[in-house]
Amino acid sequence: PLCNFTEDQRVRFVSQLEKFKTDLAEHSYKPCVIPKAGEFYCFPIRQYGFMYNSVETDSCSLALDKFYIEKDEAEHTKRITADIAKALSNAQTRILKKIETQRLELEESERAQIFKTYGDMITAEIYKIKSGMKSAVLTDYSMDPPQESEVPLNEQLTPAQNAQQYYKKYKKAQSAKSILTEQIIDAEEELKYIDSVFEELARVKTRDDADDIRKE
């Protein structure tokens, strides 16, 4: 309250009011813009102290132009970065789902050793198998000691064809394992790239920066 001012404060206060009145009367303006605070005025804005940089201009028109140009650029930049962030987030989610599926398929292919084992068991004791059998109890010589187990068979195939079918399944699974391993590595590299773009996005300051990232 003015009633609580000291004499010195009253003198300074009145002095500032008189100066303000004189500046207005003489049109002695000093337009400025503080972009980060979102403010412009025909006289210097001092209430923020050193918190924000104040940019002085030669006229009020220039101050208005500068303010709205920078405001438009800031909004444009914000809009672009939001669109990019959404696209990156969608891509990230898609890749993570793909990696999850590929890892499950990889686990499945890694269990394909049983196909080779079945093929070897049929080949080793093919004399025990008759055409039309749905399964056969055969010896697994890869075990130590060898153990007997039941091997499923396709009754429409000959014993030799059953063995070949298991070898083909094994070969296919091995090929899939190699391809899936490469695909997972590629997808993980893509995730790292997306993370790096997120980091670039966080450092965007201008419309040109945002446009460059969007083009990329």
Side-chain angles (χ1 to χ4, degrees):
L2 190 60
C3 62
N4 292 338
F5 276 28
T6 64
E7 184 61 27
D8 181 55
Q9 287 174 327
R10 284 197 198 94
V11 170
R12 285 163 52 200
F13 179 60
V14 171
S15 173
Q16 287 296 319
L17 285 179
E18 290 290 347
K19 183 179 182 304
F20 186 54
K21 179 182 175 182
T22 300
D23 288 342
L24 284 172
E26 296 178 355
H27 303 289
S28 180
Y29 304 120
K30 291 182 180 179
C32 74
V33 179
I34 302 184
K36 286 191 176 180
E39 292 190 21
F40 58 89
Y41 196 50
C42 55
F43 292 110
I45 300 172
R46 296 194 176 95
Q47 67 261 36
Y48 296 110
F50 296 104
M51 189 182 302
Y52 298 121
N53 290 327
S54 176
V55 181
E56 292 188 3
T57 62
D58 294 332
S59 70
C60 290
S61 294
L62 288 174
L64 286 168
D65 287 345
K66 183 174 180 60
F67 175 78
Y68 283 108
I69 287 171
E70 293 195 8
K71 182 181 179 183
D72 178 64
E73 178 161 329
E75 290 177 352
H76 178 81
T77 303
K78 184 178 180 181
R79 187 165 57 251
I80 293 176
T81 53
D83 290 343
I84 296 170
K86 183 178 179 181
L88 289 172
S89 182
N90 289 340
Q92 195 175 50
T93 300
R94 175 179 55 78
I95 294 167
L96 285 169
K97 286 181 179 178
K98 183 171 73 173
I99 289 176
E100 184 181 1
T101 301
Q102 288 171 335
R103 282 179 176 158
L104 289 172
E105 291 175 356
L106 183 60
E107 288 178 12
E108 187 68 28
S109 68
E110 287 174 344
R111 291 196 289 267
Q113 180 61 36
I114 191 64
F115 296 143
K116 183 177 183 302
T117 300
Y118 283 163
D120 291 343
M121 290 168 70
I122 293 171
T123 301
E125 296 185 319
I126 198 166
Y127 60 88
K128 290 185 178 181
I129 305 170
K130 307 295 182 186
S131 294
M133 292 176 64
K134 294 182 179 180
S135 65
V137 177
L138 304 172
T139 305
D140 182 359
Y141 290 101
S142 66
M143 303 289 287
D144 188 19
Q147 294 181 12
E148 288 189 341
S149 62
E150 188 173 4
V151 178
L153 300 170
N154 185 332
E155 58 188 310
Q156 296 180 348
L157 302 178
T158 66
Q161 287 173 335
N162 269 286
Q164 287 303 312
Q165 187 179 60
Y166 276 123
Y167 286 135
K168 284 180 182 178
K169 284 184 178 180
Y170 172 72
K171 188 175 180 180
K172 183 178 179 181
Q174 287 297 100
S175 177
K177 180 180 176 180
S178 175
I179 292 170
L180 286 167
T181 301
E182 290 181 9
Q183 288 177 340
I184 289 171
I185 291 172
D186 289 343
E188 288 174 341
E189 285 299 315
E190 196 172 354
L191 280 180
K192 288 180 184 177
Y193 170 71
I194 288 175
D195 286 339
S196 73
V197 180
F198 266 125
E199 290 175 6
E200 287 182 37
L201 206 58
R203 294 192 291 269
V204 164
K205 293 182 179 178
T206 67
R207 178 197 296 244
D208 288 342
D209 292 339
D211 284 335
D212 287 343
I213 293 176
R214 180 169 65 175
K215 287 174 186 176
E216 184 182 337

